[in-house]
Amino acid sequence: YIQLFYGYVLINAEGRDRLGLKAEADLPDGAKFERDREDHATGWIVGSGAAIVSLYSRLPKPQMEQAIDGTRQFLRKLSSLGLTGVIDPGGHNLAPEDYAALVHLWREHELPLRVVYSIFAPRPGKELEDFRATTQFLPMGFGDDWLRFNGIGECVTWGMYNNDTPSEADKEAFYRVARWAADQGLTLTVHWNNDRSVHHLLDVFERVNREVPIAPLRWSIAHLHDASDASLQRMKALGVGWLTQDGLYFAATSYIAERGEAQMQRSPPIGSALRLG
């Protein structure tokens, strides 16, 4: 089982048998088998983010020793490629208890590189409650040079997670968590895809900033591949960072199909961000 982003899974015949995927009807809603021009299955499964997350959740959970060994091998592989540190921004299918293997390696002084991690909101509708519970004895920056807590995100509240049309209730729920995070001195990172809707997020950031200055807290927006100059300028005024990556190299085909070649030519607009300071 090899997953590319939240849209594609490559899985061989043995994997399909183990998961009971004998026909397309066995896949989660929103997923399908990719076929070539001759109508032969390529081995890839394609689908919506929710469908891929649902498919991933069917995989058997490793036992603790397996998780420790797998995490050890993974980090050693990264180290062998010359990486000296990674940032884990949280993600789907990862509960706080899933970090036990990482913490074990840290406790045994076995981490081959530095790891900085955030806490991803585990439960929709319970975000503030969960963050308060999980960070009660976990102050910002807790840890050492090998493993360090780096705040909350990339999902802060589910109602404002890649939602282009959040309701006023969604924005109010996000404000409550963001204001709490500001009061606690926590770094906050938000995953956002589209510039056309990022004004909803920036409106809340500006509201919090009027009450608690957020620039010293190193808040940031992740991805936003099509960021406009106007959005980047609002972010700069707030002291908000912009986190980008090379994901578009691998997602170019779907990005061009959705937004066109012209948009791809300026995504992500790193030159504009540098020019704007």
Side-chain angles (χ1 to χ4, degrees), residues 32 42 53 57 91 100-101 141 162 193 197 220 225 229 265:
K32 63 181 181 180
T42 65
V53 167
S57 68
N162 298 329
N193 283 325
S197 60
S220 58
H225 297 307
D229 284 4
Q265 292 297 326

Side-chain angles (χ1 to χ4, degrees), residues 9-123:
V9 167
L10 182 62
I11 186 167
N12 63 11
E14 182 179 351
R16 292 195 297 274
D17 286 344
R18 290 194 181 196
L19 293 181
L21 305 177
K22 300 186 183 303
E24 207 156 85
D26 299 320
L27 296 175
D29 290 341
K32 63 181 181 180
F33 291 119
E34 181 185 70
R35 298 186 175 277
D36 61 22
R37 292 178 180 177
E38 284 73 44
D39 201 35
H40 298 136
T42 65
W44 285 95
I45 295 171
V46 298
S48 64
I52 300 302
V53 167
S54 177
L55 185 62
Y56 179 93
S57 68
R58 298 184 187 181
L59 295 175
K61 280 279 190 181
Q63 299 298 315
M64 178 54 72
E65 286 304 314
Q66 294 174 315
I68 291 169
D69 185 56
T71 303
R72 181 191 292 115
Q73 290 188 49
F74 173 60
L75 295 180
R76 284 180 177 174
K77 178 64 177 179
L78 296 182
S79 181
S80 76
L81 298 172
L83 286 163
T84 59
V86 296
I87 298 173
D88 178 349
H92 290 294
N93 302 94
L94 277 175
E97 55 267 24
D98 291 329
Y99 285 83
L102 180 69
V103 172
H104 173 88
L105 292 175
W106 169 66
R107 197 168 56 238
E108 296 298 315
H109 306 289
E110 286 192 56
L111 289 180
L113 43 68
R114 295 174 172 85
V115 180
V116 173
Y117 69 97
S118 302
I119 294 178
F120 190 99
R123 298 184 296 169

Side-chain angles (χ1 to χ4, degrees), residues 15 32 36 82-83 118 156 159 165 181 183 186 190 203 207-208 252 267:
K32 63 181 181 180
D36 61 22
L83 286 163
S118 302
V156 175
T165 56
D183 287 337
L186 293 176
V190 183
D203 288 346
R207 179 183 174 189
V208 174
S267 298

Side-chain angles (χ1 to χ4, degrees), residues 157-211:
T157 62
W158 288 88
M160 288 280 281
Y161 185 59
N162 298 329
N163 181 3
D164 287 325
T165 56
S167 66
E168 289 303 315
D170 291 331
K171 288 187 276 189
E172 185 62 27
F174 183 90
Y175 163 76
R176 288 195 297 271
V177 176
R179 175 58 199 269
W180 167 82
D183 287 337
Q184 300 300 309
L186 293 176
T187 292
L188 178 153
T189 299
V190 183
H191 187 292
W192 205 275
N193 283 325
N194 299 314
D195 187 76
R196 66 176 181 269
S197 60
V198 76
H199 62 91
H200 294 295
L201 175 62
L202 292 172
D203 288 346
V204 179
F205 276 8
E206 288 167 349
R207 179 183 174 189
V208 174
N209 188 62
R210 288 191 291 269
E211 300 162 358

